[in-house]
Amino acid sequence: MTDAHDTAADSSLRTTGGAPPDDGGSSATEAPTPLLEPREGIPPVIADETALARVIAAFEAGTGPVAVDAERASGYRYGQRAYLVQLRREGAGSALIDPVACPDLSALGDALSGVEWVLHAATQDLPCLREIGMVPTRLFDTELAGRLAGFPRVGLGAMVEGVLGFVLEKGHSAVDWSTRPLPEPWLRYAALDVELLVDLRDALEKELDRQGKLEWARQEFDAIASAPPPEPRKDPWRRTSGMHKVRRRRQLAVVRELWQTRDRIAQRRDVSPGKVLGDAAIVEAALALPANVHALAALNGFGHRTGKRQLEQWQAAVDRAKALTEAQLPQPGQPVTGPPPPRAWADKDPAAAARLSAARAGVSALAEQINMPQENLITPDTVRRVCWEPPGVVDAESVSAALEGHGARAWQVELVTPVLVEALSVKEA
């Protein structure tokens, strides 16, 4: 049994507020302190190569981990590119970099190669950082660390307040970061996002070590840093909100044509697709199969604000879908590459359903014992796959190999293997 098993039951982790034990943070009874200004003031926005070169030199000469954050314009612009990059490192202070004016930050990425990058919810920022040449070789994810340590609220504001006793401003998280020039209150907010990130990292490392989970966290961080870029989604139009209402293949074709037309327009105009045409309007048109522009204009989402030219382009997309042959129509549903939905297991394979039920119960109990969300202990998809197609001979060695084959880390394999060996031995009731 690991140290984490031993300490989870009597953990003094202050998940309702305050800092981990003995770190000098505020007590649970003290009011948190508002964090209003960066220590050195708001740094100037770096928007030319000369200033960027100075920042690169300063951060290369700095010491310790580097805090990194990025701001996107989700809901305003097409794609997920970065519109501001924030950094902070001991000896270098804080920096705000405009990646629109300085689109190639590979020299900065190279200067920080080998340095531990501290990010909050790293998987959200890594894709946009990768686009501008910034790819960490080592990282510490403070959100994931909070999950592994058992914090019930792991947003950056909640973590900084609960662990360090400071309140971050929350007012500008969803603004349009493509705005130029960026207003001073937004820049202050952005600088404060990295102000205490390394302090938070240090406190969480101490808490993870106290719980016996630090090595687990390191394995998770290494997996994130070494993961290849995700594959493009197949048939992304199928993720249109409200698709569950669309059942006929001809209607599916209308969704596809409208989605693809919208995507081309959004990309050309560099705006969020939802600002071009809402998902609800796409589904409405697919269900109605309008015969002409007048019928289309009567549908929700295509009202009086939609100009004649726009209506004509949407109707043209509908007409293209209506003109397709049966062979050209999309198939309902996506190809299933893994197990069927769990709700179908009882009918398809009752023995597998019994295994899955036992596995879920065992994983849930273990996750509660070590004070961690189930999905961080082991992904639900991995559990389903192993239960649907278990090894021919169920033992610790074969189950461990199956878990490794599905990408489980060594610490997960060690903890979960006994649970699954027991669950896979369950017979149908």
Side-chain angles (χ1 to χ4, degrees):
M1 183 173 283
T2 67
D3 290 343
H5 286 76
D6 296 331
T7 63
D10 63 347
S11 172
S12 55
L13 177 65
R14 291 156 63 180
T15 56
T16 58
D22 304 319
D23 75 344
S26 66
S27 75
T29 58
E30 290 177 356
T33 304
L35 192 63
L36 302 177
E37 288 287 339
R39 272 168 270 192
E40 300 91 13
I42 303 172
V45 177
I46 304 303
D48 63 72
E49 294 303 319
T50 301
L52 178 61
R54 288 196 296 268
V55 164
I56 292 172
F59 274 79
E60 189 171 24
T63 58
V66 57
V68 182
D69 191 20
E71 304 295 347
R72 300 178 297 279
S74 303
Y76 296 94
R77 296 290 181 176
Y78 184 86
Q80 293 295 314
R81 68 172 293 183
Y83 283 95
L84 188 70
V85 175
Q86 308 103 278
L87 305 100
R88 183 173 181 84
R89 191 180 190 195
E90 184 70 28
S94 295
L96 303 177
I97 302 175
D98 180 357
V100 177
C102 302
D104 182 4
L105 298 184
S106 55
L108 176 60
D110 292 342
L112 297 173
S113 179
V115 176
E116 182 187 83
W117 296 21
V118 184
L119 299 101
H120 192 81
T123 54
Q124 294 182 21
D125 285 341
L126 288 179
C128 70
L129 291 170
R130 185 180 288 113
E131 286 183 1
I132 53 179
M134 295 185 65
V135 182
T137 54
R138 297 169 51 212
L139 65 82
F140 189 107
D141 185 334
T142 50
E143 185 205 44
L144 180 53
R147 292 182 185 278
L148 297 177
F151 281 80
R153 296 169 60 229
V154 293
L156 180 59
M159 293 293 289
V160 167
E161 181 175 344
V163 176
L164 302 177
F166 289 94
V167 178
L168 291 176
E169 184 182 356
K170 302 174 183 177
H172 305 300
S173 60
V175 298
D176 180 3
W177 288 94
S178 68
T179 301
R180 293 296 183 273
L182 286 164
E184 182 177 293
W186 299 11
L187 296 175
R188 180 182 296 105
Y189 164 90
L192 289 174
D193 262 4
V194 292
E195 182 80 5
L196 296 176
L197 208 49
V198 173
D199 302 74
L200 179 61
R201 171 238 180 270
D202 292 344
L204 289 173
E205 180 181 60
K206 180 184 292 187
E207 177 60 22
L208 287 167
D209 189 35
R210 190 188 71 81
Q211 292 190 26
K213 298 176 180 177
L214 184 56
E215 176 55 29
W216 304 355
R218 286 173 175 156
Q219 291 180 31
E220 292 300 296
F221 302 155
D222 288 346
I224 294 173
S226 61
E231 294 288 332
R233 287 190 182 277
K234 181 176 173 59
D235 294 342
W237 59 270
R238 292 184 183 272
R239 294 177 61 82
T240 303
S241 180
M243 278 290 288
H244 62 282
K245 303 174 186 176
V246 183
R247 300 222 163 90
R248 291 159 48 196
R249 294 176 64 200
R250 185 72 58 185
Q251 295 172 331
L252 289 172
V254 172
V255 172
R256 181 175 64 185
E257 287 292 334
L258 286 172
W259 189 97
Q260 292 174 345
T261 300
R262 178 184 72 173
D263 197 63
R264 288 192 295 269
I265 295 170
Q267 188 169 13
R268 184 177 71 245
R269 290 170 49 190
D270 190 18
V271 297
S272 170
K275 290 187 175 295
V276 176
L277 186 68
D279 281 8
I282 290 177
V283 171
E284 188 88 6
L287 296 176
L289 296 173
N292 51 49
V293 168
H294 297 294
L296 180 68
L299 300 177
N300 290 332
F302 298 94
H304 63 279
R305 293 185 181 180
T306 308
K308 180 180 178 183
R309 184 177 174 185
Q310 292 174 301
L311 285 170
E312 288 174 347
Q313 73 184 358
W314 301 131
Q315 185 61 43
V318 173
D319 292 342
R320 285 194 299 272
K322 291 165 73 172
L324 296 175
T325 66
E326 284 293 319
Q328 293 172 316
L329 297 177
Q331 294 296 326
Q334 293 175 288
V336 177
T337 57
R343 63 180 178 273
W345 285 31
D347 293 329
K348 291 178 178 291
D349 189 339
R355 293 192 295 266
L356 181 62
S357 178
R360 284 174 162 174
V363 168
S364 177
L366 178 56
E368 185 175 353
Q369 184 182 356
I370 63 173
N371 192 26
M372 182 186 298
Q374 295 180 44
E375 63 270 20
N376 292 114
L377 172 58
I378 191 73
T379 67
D381 181 67
T382 296
V383 174
R384 285 193 296 268
R385 289 176 183 271
V386 174
C387 288
W388 184 253
E389 294 184 350
V393 176
V394 175
D395 56 25
E397 183 177 357
S398 64
V399 171
S400 293
L403 289 170
E404 290 170 1
H406 291 302
R409 265 69 72 190
W411 73 273
Q412 295 174 315
V413 172
E414 179 185 353
L415 289 176
V416 175
T417 290
V419 173
L420 290 191
V421 168
E422 182 177 348
L424 295 177
S425 303
V426 169
K427 302 300 181 183
E428 177 188 351

